[in-house]
Amino acid sequence: MANLGIPQNTIEVLQKYNFNFQKKFGQNFLIDTHVLDKIIASADVNKEDCVLEIGPGIGTMTQYLAENARKVIAVEIDKALIPILGDTLKEYDNVRVINEDILKVDIAALAKEENDGKPIKVVANLPYYITTPIIMGLFESHVPIHSITVMVQKEVADRMQVGPGTKDYGALSLAVQYYAKPEIVANVPPNCFMPRPNVGSAVIRLTKHQQPPVVVKDEKLMFRLIRASFNQRRKTLVNGLNNSPELNFSKEEITATLEKMGLSQTIRGEALDLQQFGQLSDLLWELHNK
Ligand code: SAM
């Protein structure tokens, strides 16, 4: 089968099947062999790997993955793409295509079945409308994962990578960095896709930590604190936490805790790093669990 990273080959397949792009599924297919090579190299895919691909489209990256991995599981929501994938992937016996919504798939069960429960690699050109639920779902459901190498909107890649003191810093930065080490490995312009998206894109690799960089008594509490701090970004941390319906700490408890940490009473959540959120979480936890 011809390399679909070459635009003419993608056009031929689309015409043969009279395929109509579905905007609601975030369909922007890759048509650049350099970008495809870069993704495969950054994900470090090799013959021992079981790879999960989210949204294979017409199978462009799936072909590259099938050449390099032991097994590829490709989950595609659009049923119109399934016969096309049957055609474009017919030369490979190591690809399993599943016609499902990735947010409804039991990925841990799949990893167990296809990889003995050992860590899988996730590689994808993601549908941008569900980037955050996909990534947070992968981390929070404790699926065994080695790394996630994905194309996302450039702005979202930046948010995942930055630390305190920048406008992009937020709950997503902290959540991603709690679970993984993020590295942007390529910036990708709109002309590498068909049709062209109206935003810039970037490939980011998230390498899962063996141990989280902070160990806290109650992970859920720390994430509630993080969410509450950034939900009301313009408020002080004291007010943000005190106003949150997810939390029940008094103003006095919060101010006393900030004082213990040597932080100003007027500090905003966006000034705290992951270590400080961890410390805040443990101190507040102790107040209610002694
Ligand atoms: N991998 C292909 C490529 O690089 O050319 C296609 C990438 S395209 C950006 C995103 C793909 O994800 C589309 O094929 C789309 O139909 C699929 N998709 C969208 N929502 C999905 C979902 N909830 N579950 C699984 N696949 C989904």
Side-chain angles (χ1 to χ4, degrees):
M1 168 53 73
N3 181 341
L4 298 167
I6 295 163
Q8 190 51 38
N9 295 336
T10 281
I11 291 168
E12 269 171 31
V13 169
L14 296 175
Q15 284 175 345
K16 179 174 168 193
Y17 287 91
N18 208 2
F19 180 75
N20 290 315
F21 286 100
Q22 298 254 23
K23 226 180 161 168
K24 66 169 179 192
F25 289 145
Q27 292 177 339
N28 301 95
F29 298 164
L30 262 171
I31 44 160
D32 188 299
T33 55
H34 299 292
V35 174
L36 286 154
D37 285 333
K38 179 84 193 175
I39 295 173
I40 302 298
S42 307
D44 189 25
V45 175
N46 60 61
K47 277 290 166 198
E48 271 123 60
D49 290 329
C50 175
V51 175
L52 169 67
E53 185 188 10
I54 297 158
I58 59 169
T60 312
M61 193 154 73
T62 326
Q63 294 179 336
Y64 280 69
L65 292 169
E67 295 279 349
N68 289 279
R70 177 182 62 77
K71 179 87 195 188
V72 183
I73 310 165
V75 179
E76 174 55 61
I77 196 169
D78 185 355
K79 66 175 183 324
L81 288 165
I82 305 305
I84 305 183
L85 288 165
D87 184 4
T88 60
L89 301 174
K90 61 176 179 282
E91 283 160 32
Y92 302 103
D93 60 5
N94 59 342
V95 181
R96 173 172 167 194
V97 174
I98 300 174
N99 185 199
E100 241 314 352
D101 176 348
I102 189 64
L103 298 177
K104 296 190 181 142
V105 171
D106 183 345
I107 301 167
L110 268 181
K112 192 156 191 203
E113 196 181 317
E114 300 284 0
N115 206 35
D116 255 352
K118 293 195 297 288
I120 56 169
K121 290 181 179 168
V122 178
V123 185
N125 170 17
L126 286 181
Y128 294 171
Y129 74 105
I130 42 169
T131 301
T132 303
I134 289 177
I135 292 185
M136 293 322 297
L138 288 168
F139 285 140
E140 284 168 359
S141 60
H142 297 284
V143 176
I145 284 175
H146 171 273
S147 56
I148 303 175
T149 307
V150 280
M151 180 86 70
V152 296
Q153 203 177 318
K154 167 83 177 101
E155 196 192 307
V156 175
D158 289 339
R159 290 219 299 268
M160 290 182 191
Q161 215 192 17
V162 294
T166 55
K167 73 167 178 28
D168 289 330
Y169 183 61
L172 182 65
S173 328
L174 284 154
V176 164
Q177 291 165 32
Y178 177 72
Y179 290 107
K181 181 168 107 193
E183 287 161 280
I184 293 180
V185 293
N187 286 318
V188 183
N191 62 6
C192 295
F193 301 87
M194 186 185 296
R196 294 180 186 196
N198 39 29
V199 291
S201 302
V203 179
I204 190 163
R205 180 179 57 221
L206 310 172
T207 309
K208 189 119 187 257
H209 295 307
Q210 303 278 0
Q211 302 293 335
V214 299
V215 178
V216 286
K217 299 210 158 67
D218 183 346
E219 214 174 78
K220 288 211 171 77
L221 172 61
M222 183 178 72
F223 281 113
R224 282 204 294 273
L225 293 167
I226 289 173
R227 271 198 302 275
S229 313
F230 289 98
N231 269 347
Q232 299 188 308
R233 232 190 145 96
R234 307 194 59 79
K235 291 227 159 80
T236 62
L237 183 61
V238 177
N239 285 332
L241 300 187
N242 189 237
N243 291 343
S244 167
E246 278 196 309
L247 298 165
N248 63 342
F249 297 104
S250 67
K251 258 198 172 150
E252 292 67 36
E253 287 176 317
I254 301 164
T255 49
T257 306
L258 288 185
E259 198 172 319
K260 227 185 224 175
M261 290 174 67
L263 296 175
S264 148
Q265 302 301 320
T266 58
I267 198 164
R268 290 190 182 158
E270 64 197 23
L272 268 63
D273 64 16
L274 183 59
Q275 258 68 27
Q276 289 170 312
F277 272 110
Q279 195 188 358
L280 177 70
S281 174
D282 278 358
L283 288 170
L284 289 171
W285 184 89
E286 274 164 21
L287 287 180
H288 286 201
N289 291 278
K290 268 207 172 142

